[in-house]
Amino acid sequence: MFCNQCEQTARGEACCTIGVCGKNEEVAGLQDALIHALQGIAHLAVAARGADIIDQDLDTFVMGGIFTTLTNVDFDPQRLAKLIHQTVERRAAFAQRLTEAGVEIPQNHPSINFAPASDCELLVEQGKQLKLVETLDSDPDIRSLKQILLYGIKGIAAYGDHAAKFGKVDTDVCSFIYDGLVALGAEGLSLEDCVAAAMKAGEINLRAMEILDEGNTGRFGHPVPTSVPLGHRKNKCILITGHDLTHLELLLKQTEGKGIDVYTHGEMLPCHGYPELKKYDHFIGHFGTAWHNQRLEFGDFPGPILFTTNCIQKPGPHYADRVFTTGLVGWPGIKHVEENDFSEVVAKALEMEGYQEDSENGSVMVGFARNAVMGVADNVIEAVKAGDIKHFFLVGGCDGSNGGRDYYSEFVAKTPKDSVVLTLACGKFRFFNQELGDIGGIPRLLDIGQCNDAYSAIQIAVALSKAFDCGVNELPLSMVLSWYEQKAVSILLTLLYLGIKDIRLGPTLPAFITPKVLDFLVENFNIQPITTPEKDLEALLAS
């Protein structure tokens, strides 16, 4: 196998035997075969769009298929093999439809006629033989940029899949995904071509996040500042993790009146700020910290655990019998339940003892998305003009277990008392319970939401730049980001598309970026790796 798509890749180069995430050679081969099969659909879809033929159901299927290959989503070979065969069946049906409509079927890529083996072991070998990353291009710099494009597409597809749960499927988003998948196999692309494609990915990801935001806020309302207990109460309980708000809503509805409390884990924490979710009396609080601590923490939760999206690790034997997956998530031997029927999860909760006593463990604040922050914009602007707020820091991103990530907790702790820290995504679990106080009633630590809510952070920055009649790069705003997987790549591309400069990125730079590509990013956007909290704070405050 060869995989270097996440920050924790082995030796900072690539995982070649087993993934740090737990992915083995079998799963890696199947994921590559799945991307290859989806490229076949992409070639047909590009031809179809030329004839004004759009299949929204197929678009949704493709986004889900791509999302499945993200880090820590699906580790189940049987589910992956089934999805590959479904992809090829859909490709064949779509090709037949195009033929009947008089559209010429392209034959310019092997994926168009890819025939997967019926035997899973043989299918794994097919995937290995593809050498998906190594064969992107013989030029290492072009290959690097194509990898950036591929991982950007994966992030875009993740947001697009979430948005599709609300019936929001954007034609431009899907068209770019198809164009991008086709471009991965194109020969003779220049550096300029690949850079343009990466910048376009940033633009399209902004749209994907926008329609997801419309879906979330349209159904559940705009988040409001909310105190979330970190303790628990005596009762039966269920823990839900991942990112999917629609799954959380279904679980809350299906547990209502059954004497079961629902707790969030990981990126589900910001869900407590949504008015239409807050109204459930049994939506109690939050358990645990970041996703990578689950094997240490889940044994202490006395109820079933439901995974809704990426971030699953190999379940420990002491709690594996009460783990359930749904949607795109899968792990061999773990019970998978349908997305709209959590009855087995509910039954398991009723069977278990649950919490036997109440416990207080403090609380944290969430709900400072763009509406909440803009609601006090006048106060914020006045505080800046009065000199009470001198700097804003956006500190967030994807967390991970490798060394160097204590940097972010130290950085936040050392930010000046006349500064405000905006945060989002699971990177905040390095410091989410720090007591930073407030400035004139404005909390110094503002949780904007999930990584999916990066759109909100961008809108806050844009609104502040308009209020101060300057560009975003002229604001007293610094971005210090951590990254782990492919959604972080797509968000970074969006920030670059918007022209945002001087981003500090860590804890390490992506292994798939060559020195020449890095030089381009430094020269054009002044992206810099993090150093130490003290040095970076000094430099950022001086700029």
Side-chain angles (χ1 to χ4, degrees):
M1 65 181 284
F2 181 94
C3 183
N4 62 359
Q5 70 177 9
C6 87
E7 189 273 333
Q8 296 184 175
T9 193
R11 304 175 305 281
E13 298 173 1
C15 293
C16 300
T17 305
I18 188 168
V20 175
C21 66
K23 176 169 63 177
N24 58 26
E25 289 183 300
E26 186 179 18
V27 170
L30 291 170
Q31 288 185 348
D32 284 355
L34 177 55
I35 289 294
H36 185 69
L38 291 165
Q39 283 180 289
I41 289 182
H43 281 271
L44 300 185
V46 170
R49 276 160 159 72
D52 293 325
I53 297 174
I54 293 175
D55 187 330
Q56 194 172 92
D57 180 65
L58 184 64
D59 294 347
T60 302
F61 175 82
V62 168
M63 287 190 293
I66 297 171
F67 189 5
T68 299
T69 69
L70 241 73
T71 304
N72 293 91
V73 177
D74 195 343
F75 295 82
D76 190 335
Q78 296 304 317
R79 282 172 48 82
L80 287 167
K82 181 180 178 181
L83 185 53
I84 292 167
H85 284 281
Q86 289 174 338
T87 300
V88 172
E89 289 167 6
R90 283 180 174 259
R91 186 196 70 204
F94 195 46
Q96 180 63 32
R97 177 184 170 188
L98 297 186
T99 299
E100 293 172 355
V103 178
E104 184 177 354
I105 303 301
Q107 296 295 332
N108 56 339
H109 194 265
S111 62
I112 299 166
N113 297 301
F114 173 61
S118 56
D119 180 82
C120 189
E121 290 186 12
L122 293 177
L123 183 51
V124 170
E125 287 304 313
Q126 284 181 296
K128 289 180 180 179
Q129 292 304 315
L130 289 170
K131 297 185 182 300
L132 185 71
V133 169
E134 297 97 315
T135 58
L136 286 174
D137 204 278
S138 58
D139 183 317
D141 298 316
I142 299 294
R143 185 166 62 248
S144 174
L145 286 165
K146 282 189 174 183
Q147 281 189 266
I148 293 172
L149 175 60
L150 172 59
Y151 304 146
I153 289 171
K154 289 190 177 190
I156 293 167
Y159 295 129
D161 179 79
H162 283 304
K165 298 288 179 64
F166 300 99
K168 294 184 175 294
V169 181
D170 187 272
T171 299
D172 289 342
V173 170
C174 298
S175 292
F176 174 80
I177 288 174
Y178 291 133
D179 288 339
L181 289 175
V182 169
L184 293 175
E187 297 180 356
L189 295 184
S190 66
L191 284 172
E192 291 75 15
D193 293 333
C194 293
V195 168
M199 292 301 101
K200 186 67 176 180
E203 177 187 356
I204 293 298
N205 185 61
L206 181 62
R207 176 58 182 157
M209 291 191 297
E210 180 182 21
I211 62 173
L212 174 56
D213 180 84
E214 290 171 359
N216 283 334
T217 57
R219 180 179 297 185
F220 305 116
H222 285 275
V224 296
T226 302
S227 178
V228 183
L230 299 178
H232 57 256
R233 72 180 184 184
K234 181 179 179 181
N235 205 6
K236 307 284 187 179
C237 52
I238 294 174
L239 186 66
I240 185 168
T241 188
H243 304 77
D244 198 299
L245 274 64
T246 61
H247 287 150
L248 173 57
E249 181 188 39
L250 284 169
L251 182 64
L252 289 169
K253 287 180 177 179
Q254 292 175 29
T255 50
E256 196 168 18
K258 290 185 169 62
I260 300 172
D261 290 337
V262 173
Y263 293 83
T264 54
H265 171 264
E267 285 264 62
M268 285 294 200
L269 169 62
C271 298
H272 289 275
Y274 286 90
E276 290 302 307
L277 297 175
K278 283 165 56 73
K279 69 182 183 182
Y280 291 93
D281 292 337
H282 61 300
F283 190 30
I284 295 301
H286 186 78
F287 173 89
T289 54
W291 65 273
H292 58 83
N293 292 324
Q294 62 192 253
R295 286 174 60 85
L296 298 174
E297 298 174 344
F298 281 1
D300 295 329
F301 188 80
I305 302 154
L306 177 63
F307 279 88
T308 66
T309 57
N310 54 310
C311 295
I312 191 171
Q313 289 183 306
K314 181 180 180 179
H318 52 306
Y319 64 84
D321 64 334
R322 49 192 172 87
V323 171
F324 296 84
T325 59
T326 194
L328 302 176
V329 189
W331 192 281
I334 296 299
K335 180 66 178 179
H336 190 82
V337 296
E338 294 301 320
E339 295 184 70
N340 59 353
D341 183 7
F342 300 141
S343 56
E344 291 185 67
V345 186
V346 173
K348 188 67 175 179
L350 293 173
E351 170 192 317
M352 296 182 67
E353 289 187 347
Y355 284 115
Q356 295 300 295
E357 59 183 16
D358 295 342
S359 175
E360 295 287 339
N361 192 31
S363 63
V364 294
M365 291 292 295
V366 301
F368 294 99
R370 70 181 191 282
N371 250 35
V373 174
M374 291 302 99
V376 295
D378 290 344
N379 296 341
V380 173
I381 293 167
E382 186 58 38
V384 173
K385 290 180 177 178
D388 297 327
I389 296 178
K390 290 190 170 61
H391 209 89
F392 296 89
F393 295 96
L394 176 60
V395 185
C398 303
D399 200 9
S401 58
N402 272 9
R405 291 180 181 269
D406 286 344
Y407 165 96
Y408 296 93
S409 52
E410 293 177 20
F411 184 96
V412 169
K414 292 176 179 179
T415 54
K417 295 188 183 302
D418 56 5
S419 65
V420 171
V421 176
L422 308 171
T423 189
L424 76 166
C426 62
K428 65 172 160 277
F429 288 107
R430 293 283 170 175
F431 50 81
F432 78 127
N433 55 358
Q434 286 190 20
E435 295 289 345
L436 299 185
D438 66 88
I439 300 175
I442 301 168
R444 285 196 55 228
L445 181 60
L446 301 177
D447 183 359
I448 297 171
Q450 298 182 344
C451 63
N452 299 357
D453 297 314
Y455 176 77
S456 226
I458 291 169
Q459 294 307 307
I460 290 171
V462 170
L464 287 173
S465 69
K466 289 180 179 178
F468 289 104
D469 193 25
C470 66
V472 171
N473 289 315
E474 299 170 78
L475 286 171
L477 168 66
S478 301
M479 297 190 181
V480 184
L481 307 178
S482 60
W483 80 282
Y484 173 70
E485 44 90 344
Q486 296 77 64
K487 285 184 284 184
V489 175
S490 63
I491 291 172
L492 179 61
L493 291 176
T494 294
L495 295 176
L496 300 184
Y497 159 71
L498 293 171
I500 294 175
K501 298 184 177 183
D502 301 318
I503 297 170
R504 297 308 201 269
L505 186 66
T508 61
L509 296 177
F512 49 82
I513 291 184
T514 61
K516 186 172 182 179
V517 173
L518 179 59
D519 287 344
F520 171 84
L521 294 175
V522 171
E523 182 179 338
N524 289 275
F525 301 100
N526 200 31
I527 285 183
Q528 300 180 45
I530 59 172
T531 58
T532 67
E534 295 82 2
K535 288 182 180 178
D536 288 345
L537 273 169
E538 182 179 1
L540 292 170
L541 290 170
S543 60

